């Protein structure tokens, strides 16, 4: 049976740090579903449909990667997709504490779903979507943090809310 993992997040925007986690995790899983959550506590920067479209472009040649959006609890989404693994990236001790609590609550709710963590590659540890958003908002050059080719990076930059 194919090992399916869900990689949930806001991905607002998706960065080269996220991309690297997915590419490395492809060695572990037969299918990775990048799942954009509608987070009620966070105001969105880019529309969810755009985020979905851009991430699809990044992985257009990767058969094992799917991109979807979801509402509600992540474990319920995993079950609906027959995914037994939840993939997350860890950058810092702060990430660890936050992720530990979420993973343990998820485990208490759905004991069949395992959370799997990959440590961020050192060159991506400083990258986070909220800093990238700030750079974009100020009109700075965020292209080195954005995935894809020049055309995709420009597409993302051009969609930045004014
Ligand atoms: P969330 O709002 O759920 O934290 P994010 O889009 O910020 O969503 O992050 C999704 C996942 O990607 C999280 O597991 C996060 O730790 C991981 N992540 C974020 N930035 C990086 C990065 N630079 N390198 C590796 N993993 C990252």
């Amino acid at each position: 049976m194919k090992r399916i993992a869900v990689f949930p997040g806001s991905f607002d925007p998706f960065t080269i740090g996220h991309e690297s986690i997915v590419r490395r995790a492809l060695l572990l899983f037969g299918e990775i579903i990048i799942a954009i959550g509608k987070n009620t506590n966070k105001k969105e920067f880019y529309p969810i449909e755009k985020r979905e479209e851009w991430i699809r472009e990044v992985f257009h040649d990767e058969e094992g990667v799917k991109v979807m959006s979801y509402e509600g609890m992540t474990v319920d989404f995993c079950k609906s997709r027959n995914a037994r693994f939840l993939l997350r990236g860890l950058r810092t001790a702060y990430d660890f504490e936050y992720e530990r609590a979420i993973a343990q609550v998820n485990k208490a709710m759905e004991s069949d779903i395992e959370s799997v963590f990959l440590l961020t590659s050192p060159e991506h540890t400083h990258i986070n979507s909220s800093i990238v958003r700030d750079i974009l908002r100020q009109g700075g050059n965020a292209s080195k943090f954005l995935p894809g080719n020049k055309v995709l990076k420009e597409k993302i930059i051009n969609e930045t809310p004014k």
Side-chain angles (χ1 to χ4, degrees):
M1 216 170 68
K2 190 158 63 168
R3 272 200 298 266
I4 306 173
V6 164
F7 182 41
S10 318
F11 307 120
D12 197 10
F14 197 80
T15 67
I16 54 168
H18 296 128
E19 179 186 4
S20 151
I21 293 285
V22 173
R23 294 205 188 276
R24 288 165 56 209
L26 276 169
L27 299 172
L28 303 171
F29 303 107
E31 181 178 317
I32 298 176
I33 303 169
I34 302 174
I36 311 173
K38 293 191 179 156
N39 189 332
T40 40
N41 298 322
K42 282 189 185 172
K43 204 173 162 292
E44 68 172 24
F45 188 63
Y46 290 115
I48 214 155
E49 303 74 34
K50 289 282 171 198
R51 278 179 263 162
E52 226 176 303
E53 175 193 316
W54 297 331
I55 302 170
R56 251 188 217 119
E57 261 184 71
V58 174
F59 296 104
H60 69 274
D61 54 356
E62 280 295 352
E63 247 180 54
V65 178
K66 291 196 172 132
V67 188
M68 294 179 173
S69 61
Y70 73 103
E71 270 179 281
M73 290 204 308
T74 307
V75 284
D76 289 340
F77 178 73
C78 290
K79 269 174 43 187
S80 75
R81 305 301 316 172
N82 289 322
R84 292 210 34 222
F85 302 95
L86 249 169
L87 172 66
R88 297 283 285 177
L90 288 180
R91 284 165 294 186
T92 59
Y94 175 81
D95 270 358
F96 171 77
E97 280 306 325
Y98 176 75
E99 296 294 339
R100 184 185 54 78
I102 295 179
Q104 288 175 343
V105 168
N106 282 339
K107 188 79 179 163
M109 286 190 297
E110 274 309 325
S111 58
D112 288 346
I113 296 177
E114 287 296 343
S115 293
V116 175
F117 302 96
L118 288 188
L119 280 185
T120 307
S121 303
E123 67 273 26
H124 296 138
T125 304
H126 60 293
I127 304 173
N128 78 58
S129 295
S130 100
I131 294 177
V132 174
R133 277 198 299 277
D134 281 342
I135 298 171
L136 288 159
R137 231 186 247 118
Q138 308 298 333
N141 184 1
S143 45
K144 65 163 70 148
F145 307 120
L146 298 172
N149 58 19
K150 203 164 165 260
V151 176
L152 180 60
K153 288 173 196 280
E154 274 170 13
K155 217 190 260 182
I156 300 172
I157 291 167
N158 287 336
E159 287 286 338
T160 302
K162 300 282 180 290

